[in-house]
Amino acid sequence: MSEKFSALVVDRDGDDTSLGLRRMSMADLPEGAVTVAVEWSSANYKDALAVRWDGKVARNHPLVPGIDLAGTVIDSTDSAAPVGGQVIVHGYDLGVARHGGYAERARVPADWVVPLPDGLTARDAMAIGTAGFTAALSVIRLQDHGIVPDAGPVLVTGATGGVGSVAVDILAGLGYEVVASTGKADAHDLLRGLGASEVIDRLPTEAGRPLESQRWAAAVDSVGGGGLGHVLRTLKYGGVVAASGLTGGIALPATVMPFILRGVTLAGIDSVQLAIGARREVWRRLSGDLRPPHLTEFTNEVALADVPEVLSRLHASGHTGRTVVAIG
Ligand SMILES: NC(=O)c1ccc[n+]([C@@H]2O[C@H](COP(=O)([O-])OP(=O)(O)OC[C@H]3O[C@@H](n4cnc5c(N)ncnc54)[C@H](OP(=O)(O)O)[C@@H]3O)[C@@H](O)[C@H]2O)c1
């Protein structure tokens, strides 16, 4: 119990937060059946919100943020997560109301634990992370709605972001025609490298006519706001948009017309409360048919001490792709 380890900790004092490296002891960790030596974590938009006083994400302070972790079990009372096994943990309260992945040790409930599937290393899993997992959930939702590769163009918004870039990669790998929407003029080659067949600017955000020309068989949208309204107005008949995010805002300017005249589906995506059985199955698919083909090529790697700077860039939309954090 006297073992000490390094952790990045956010603390709050009114409208002010501080974020810095500290030494913690095992007694500082919450109760839980499974203790993990964390090897890798990652950086997500939600992590950038969790370290800000106005982010409306962190529910406890002081808090070890980090909504993703992967590592090796070092203590366990659960036979499904034996000592020595490699695991992934993300979602639920991790890194928002319970100490998360930006520390060398974590302790979690047994039913939050995903055994690392064969074919993925712990680093691979964090290169995917919550953002890539959400991209996979979005692709699965399109598949569930019958969107097959020859259905027509699939639009991916926020395409250089974590959710967006992994969605482009997975969809293109499956043979879909991917149109990537980005605000980063210097990222077109990168997106084509991931498999986008066309790269367009960010979508118009102002409200338009109730229906516009039909362009997309489907869309993966992690931006929300006025852009999502534009997606709804431009989906083809029977089209589906998997909506997961809000970087472009939470208001949704839309009418019922796309739903009642074009049979369009607005499919909500939530990775946080997804039941553990379904979560383990999605990870199994991420190690198989949904594995992003360019998983390691477009991943940045940083140390724990670099995380504050990375999260600032993420919050300011000055970040591209996925970033893994080396912990242990
Ligand atoms: N529902 C869930 O379970 C779930 C899970 C994971 C993430 N999310 C949400 O999904 C969103 C993306 O997460 P992430 O980790 O992928 O974030 P990220 O890496 O920061 O990517 C977000 C991307 O959105 C685009 N963007 C940013 N500000 C914008 C604006 N004002 N207007 C239009 N586009 C803008 C940028 O792409 P371009 O520069 O290429 O345009 C940016 O790279 C976040 O809102 C996050 O909270 C939800």
Side-chain angles (χ1 to χ4, degrees):
M1 273 299 181
S2 61
E3 185 190 349
K4 296 269 187 190
F5 58 89
S6 295
L8 193 65
V9 178
V10 60
D11 218 338
R12 180 171 175 180
D13 180 11
D15 286 356
D16 209 12
T17 50
S18 60
L19 181 64
L21 284 175
R22 286 196 203 159
R23 297 293 286 169
M24 288 176 66
S25 72
M26 298 303 275
D28 295 324
L29 292 177
E31 294 292 306
V34 182
T35 306
V36 182
V38 182
E39 287 145 20
W40 296 96
S41 183
S42 88
N44 295 272
Y45 187 77
K46 193 171 177 182
D47 295 310
L49 295 179
V51 301
R52 294 173 63 92
W53 71 267
D54 58 351
K56 298 188 173 70
V57 162
R59 303 205 302 276
N60 282 339
H61 292 92
L63 175 75
V64 176
I67 62 170
D68 284 329
L69 68 85
T72 302
V73 176
I74 54 171
D75 192 15
S76 175
T77 57
D78 188 84
S79 57
V83 170
Q86 287 195 292
V87 295
I88 306 163
V89 187
H90 69 122
Y92 310 117
D93 285 343
L94 193 76
V96 295
R98 185 183 179 102
H99 290 328
Y102 295 155
E104 290 171 320
R105 298 286 182 270
R107 193 179 289 128
V108 295
D111 59 2
W112 289 14
V113 170
V114 178
L116 187 72
D118 289 344
L120 287 180
T121 65
R123 188 182 186 282
D124 291 341
M126 291 298 94
I128 294 169
T130 291
F133 181 86
T134 303
L137 282 179
S138 304
V139 172
I140 291 168
R141 190 64 72 86
L142 302 190
Q143 291 177 327
D144 289 347
H145 279 274
I147 304 297
V148 292
D150 63 4
V154 177
L155 176 69
V156 177
T157 63
T160 68
V163 176
S165 62
V166 180
V168 170
D169 200 11
I170 295 175
L171 285 164
L174 292 172
Y176 288 86
E177 177 190 344
V178 180
V179 178
S181 161
T182 181
K184 298 189 184 82
D186 58 356
H188 289 210
D189 287 347
L190 183 149
L191 290 167
R192 287 185 191 281
L194 284 176
S197 51
E198 190 184 347
V199 183
I200 63 173
D201 287 340
R202 285 186 184 168
L203 302 177
T205 53
E206 63 280 3
R209 289 179 286 126
L211 293 171
E212 296 181 38
S213 300
Q214 301 184 42
R215 298 186 67 184
W216 327 111
V220 173
D221 176 66
S222 62
V223 171
L228 178 55
H230 180 86
V231 173
L232 289 167
R233 298 195 296 275
T234 52
L235 279 171
K236 289 177 186 258
Y237 189 89
V240 186
V241 52
S244 62
L246 46 63
T247 53
I250 59 169
L252 174 55
T255 72
V256 298
M257 301 306 257
F259 307 109
I260 63 177
L261 292 184
R262 290 187 182 161
V264 157
T265 298
L266 172 55
I269 302 296
D270 175 50
S271 66
V272 179
Q273 297 300 335
L274 187 72
I276 191 65
R279 190 178 299 273
R280 290 172 180 152
E281 172 59 15
V282 173
W283 276 105
R284 190 193 62 72
R285 289 193 61 185
L286 275 161
S287 71
D289 66 312
L290 297 184
R291 184 188 171 94
H294 298 90
L295 184 58
T296 46
E297 275 168 63
F298 290 103
T299 303
N300 318 297
E301 180 179 321
V302 299
L304 195 51
D306 302 323
V307 167
E309 192 268 328
V310 171
L311 295 184
S312 301
R313 272 194 287 121
L314 251 164
H315 190 262
S317 189
H319 182 268
T320 297
R322 292 283 301 142
T323 291
V324 292
V325 183
I327 306 281

